Amino acid sequence: MLPAGAQEQEDATALLLEADALRATGEVAAAALLYLRVIDEYASEAASVIGYERINELSSEFVSGLHSRAQMRAFEDNIPEWHQYQSAKGKYVLIGLAFTRAQAALAAGDTEAANRYNHVLKDMVRLLVAEHPNDPVQAAALPHFLEASWQIGEVEYVDAIAELESMLDTAPASVARMVTLFLLAEHWQRTSNDRAVAELYYEAVIHSARATGSYTADPSVFPVVKSRIAAIEGIARFRLGDFTGAAPILEKVALDFPDKAHTREISEFFSATAYDRLHPADPNEAVARYQAFVDRYPDSRLASEMLVQLAYKYLDAGDSYGGDVLLEIVRKYQDAPVLGHVESKLRRLGRHQELGETQLIAAGVSPEIVDESCGPIALHHL
């Protein structure tokens, strides 16, 4: 007889093989349910990480239209009630599915459906926090909680901030505490001209990070969780102006987690800026890093912010091409939060007349909303 741990791993592997076989024959709904079973029932095994990767692959295939709507509906209709999932990982996967459905509803213009999914998501996160206060998977779940609140509306978001603050009263020294502190720090960094409160939270994030390092070596922890734990400390150090400490952490995250697109993107964004701060005498390398980021992630929410920094490097060197870059931002990124600042700078340069009236109206956002030293990151991209 195999030892208990070996037997569980063997059983989990057998289920994965069964699910893979179903997927290969087109029975994707049945396969997905088996992957979910592996994730929930064998949460402490490395096989749960493989199950999670398979679920993500199927989710991407559904979004891309590779599978029919009938198959997607069969999958969703056959998922048991979310409260039946016992493990933190099982709950998190359903949180991710709810988030995906909310984004799809928003894209289709169905705000009512999006709000319904977001409210369910928030309830699932609350249950996850209550039943699994020390589980590292909260590093991935809590940003969804705040992003869902933001999408529902301003009042809901303000209430969510208060709820996160109340969580700190009971949260142990864990990943959950570190992520909560980070989300609150980002909130205050975004909404207040007085950065003192945000800095206190960022300092607490760095202190909390010392208690979470062991998670990054655990093979049963989802890679998305590991990457976010690592990235958060680097971004917190960057926010506090510790570019020497931030740069190697962020560069390592980008190298260690090349398949985690969102975390890699954010890490590269901050590491490029950190390099510029650390090496002011090497503007050519900074320009190369900024341009490489924009070329690699042209559709990123962060691309417009990186272009602003690129423009300033040219302008600081007396190169009028910086103005061309600013014009490109207005023309290409019509919804970017940096537009108000960009238009203001173009007016000071005397180049705003090169934009049409429609473009100027589209860019009519308050210049004060932008933090030129890197704005807050998209919450669910953590």
Side-chain angles (χ1 to χ4, degrees):
M1 178 180 287
L2 291 171
Q7 184 63 57
E8 288 187 351
Q9 183 64 28
E10 184 175 284
D11 293 344
T13 300
L15 283 175
L16 284 174
L17 291 172
E18 183 181 351
D20 288 344
L22 288 168
R23 181 182 177 188
T25 60
E27 297 182 61
V28 291
L33 289 174
L34 278 183
Y35 292 137
L36 280 169
R37 181 179 166 190
V38 171
I39 293 166
D40 192 51
E41 295 182 13
Y42 300 93
S44 62
E45 303 296 327
S48 66
V49 176
I50 300 174
Y52 177 68
E53 291 171 352
R54 298 285 197 275
I55 284 287
N56 278 341
E57 290 168 2
L58 283 178
S59 179
S60 297
E61 290 171 3
F62 278 128
V63 171
S64 66
L66 186 60
H67 303 299
S68 69
R69 292 186 63 84
Q71 288 173 310
M72 182 169 64
R73 183 62 61 192
F75 169 48
E76 293 179 340
D77 288 348
N78 284 284
I79 294 177
E81 290 295 320
W82 54 265
H83 57 76
Q84 294 180 14
Y85 285 78
Q86 300 301 309
S87 73
K89 285 182 177 178
K91 292 182 177 69
Y92 169 66
V93 170
L94 295 189
I95 288 168
L97 291 173
F99 183 79
T100 299
R101 298 308 299 149
Q103 303 320 297
L106 281 176
D110 190 346
T111 305
E112 182 179 348
N115 287 346
R116 185 168 63 252
Y117 280 116
N118 278 328
H119 279 297
V120 170
L121 181 158
K122 292 184 67 176
D123 286 341
M124 286 192 285
V125 173
R126 292 184 182 107
L127 185 65
L128 172 65
V129 171
E131 295 187 355
H132 309 277
N134 293 301
D135 198 285
V137 80
Q138 292 187 42
L142 284 168
H144 284 319
F145 178 84
L146 203 53
E147 186 72 14
S149 303
W150 177 268
Q151 290 178 0
I152 293 170
E154 183 177 354
V155 173
E156 189 90 9
Y157 176 76
V158 171
D159 290 344
I161 289 294
E163 194 169 343
L164 286 178
E165 289 175 333
S166 69
M167 287 180 186
L168 289 178
D169 296 334
T170 57
S174 65
V175 169
R177 183 175 185 82
M178 182 182 72
V179 176
T180 301
L181 287 165
F182 180 77
L183 293 173
L184 291 170
E186 286 288 295
H187 163 74
W188 285 104
Q189 193 267 346
R190 171 167 52 186
T191 61
S192 175
N193 291 324
D194 181 0
R195 302 293 171 82
V197 175
E199 289 177 359
L200 288 174
Y201 277 125
Y202 286 127
E203 289 169 357
V205 167
I206 295 171
H207 179 76
S208 294
R210 298 168 189 159
T212 62
S214 61
Y215 290 122
T216 59
D218 187 340
S220 69
V221 175
F222 289 158
V224 65
V225 175
K226 295 181 182 181
S227 65
R228 291 177 184 186
I229 291 171
I232 280 173
E233 181 184 0
I235 296 171
R237 290 186 180 279
F238 179 97
R239 296 295 198 199
L240 291 171
D242 178 13
F243 305 122
T244 301
I249 293 174
L250 295 167
E251 289 171 1
K252 188 174 187 301
V253 170
L255 290 173
D256 288 353
F257 303 97
D259 58 332
K260 301 305 166 193
H262 292 321
T263 308
R264 185 184 71 244
E265 173 189 326
I266 291 167
S267 296
E268 290 183 11
F269 174 82
F270 280 96
S271 63
T273 309
Y275 181 91
D276 189 11
R277 303 293 196 276
L278 288 170
H279 303 89
D282 190 10
N284 291 336
E285 177 62 21
V287 166
R289 292 187 179 216
Y290 289 159
Q291 188 62 59
F293 179 90
V294 175
D295 292 342
R296 191 175 296 121
Y297 308 107
D299 300 321
S300 167
R301 188 199 72 87
L302 298 170
S304 61
E305 296 185 31
M306 188 114 284
L307 282 171
V308 169
Q309 297 187 72
L310 180 63
Y312 271 86
K313 296 305 293 184
Y314 283 114
L315 292 172
D316 289 346
D319 190 335
S320 62
Y321 179 68
D324 296 338
V325 175
L326 295 175
L327 290 168
E328 177 188 352
I329 295 171
V330 177
R331 291 167 178 150
K332 186 173 180 180
Y333 300 97
Q334 291 292 308
D335 298 322
V338 299
L339 289 183
H341 170 78
V342 170
E343 183 191 349
S344 178
K345 183 63 177 179
L346 284 169
R347 289 185 182 279
R348 292 198 296 274
L349 294 172
R351 298 194 60 179
H352 61 285
Q353 71 274 9
E354 297 177 42
L355 294 170
E357 185 64 25
T358 302
Q359 290 171 321
L360 284 174
I361 293 172
V365 186
S366 169
E368 287 71 36
I369 69 169
V370 176
D371 171 18
E372 292 178 40
S373 66
C374 293
I377 63 177
L379 299 173
H380 64 280
H381 282 183
L382 281 170

